[in-house]
Amino acid sequence: MDLLVNNAGFGLRDPFASSAVDDEQRLLDVLVTAPMRLTHAVLPQMVERGRGAVVNVASVAAYTPRGTYGAAKAWLLSFSRSLHVELRGRGVTVTAVAPGFVHTEFHSRMRVSKDGIPRVLWLRPEYVVRATLRAAARRRMVTIPSLRYRLIVALARLAPAPWAAAGTLTPR
Ligand SMILES: NC(=O)c1ccc[n+]([C@@H]2O[C@H](COP(=O)([O-])OP(=O)(O)OC[C@H]3O[C@@H](n4cnc5c(N)ncnc54)[C@H](OP(=O)(O)O)[C@@H]3O)[C@@H](O)[C@H]2O)c1
């Protein structure tokens, strides 16, 4: 395999104190365990051939205190960065993408409203995919599609935690 994309994911609507622990476990299974195991399964062959790429779909939520979803995406981001460094010079590259809001089924499946999210913050999936594949081809460690989200992330990293967590999604 030349390219592995760890993309599967979903979000939980309820805050941690009132969520079902089985849902929290399912979240970790999909967002953390699955990418770890899939990456572990393909890397030995990639390294042996000296060729291959892994793309991990994280989120800007990785840079903010946004529940267990943000925590899991922070794990994926850190995992990607660590592997990127570990594999440097061996022909195999690992790239994390941290998108902001993207027009997909994500929010309807999560049963949260999209109404409060300003239009300017929405990205098209085609744009995110193109930016991601370009970043992987250039062997980038992390990519944040769009200038506006690069600015948001830069500010979120400096802001106090309650500010960085602003804009919590509301249930439908
Ligand atoms: N949309 C956003 O605003 C946004 C922002 C940042 C990051 N992301 C991340 O982008 C990735 C893709 O999400 P999306 O926006 O494309 O949402 P989506 O339209 O809801 O698609 C989610 C994808 O994940 C798969 N999936 C979900 N739960 C699964 C499970 N238990 N086992 C196997 N596959 C599962 C789905 O497969 P099925 O269709 O077969 O169920 C689907 O292909 C996710 O990792 C998400 O966290 C999304």
Side-chain angles (χ1 to χ4, degrees), residues 1-67:
M1 179 185 286
D2 283 340
L3 175 66
L4 167 67
V5 181
N6 287 308
N7 174 65
F10 64 92
L12 295 177
R13 195 169 71 146
D14 296 329
F16 183 69
S18 54
S19 65
V21 76
D22 286 347
D23 288 343
E24 295 290 352
Q25 186 61 60
R26 211 161 48 85
L27 187 89
L28 281 182
D29 290 346
V30 174
L31 298 189
V32 173
T33 305
M36 182 277 290
R37 294 195 73 105
L38 290 170
T39 306
H40 198 267
V42 302
L43 271 187
Q45 288 171 11
M46 287 183 176
V47 169
E48 194 180 313
R49 281 182 299 167
R51 192 179 76 233
V54 177
V55 170
N56 288 325
V57 183
S59 167
V60 294
Y63 296 97
T64 65
R66 291 195 81 103

Side-chain angles (χ1 to χ4, degrees), residues 7-9 30 57-59 69 73 99-102 104-107 109:
N7 174 65
V30 174
V57 183
S59 167
Y69 176 81
K73 292 298 190 182
F101 293 118
V102 189
T104 64
E105 302 296 310
F106 185 85
H107 298 88
R109 288 192 200 206

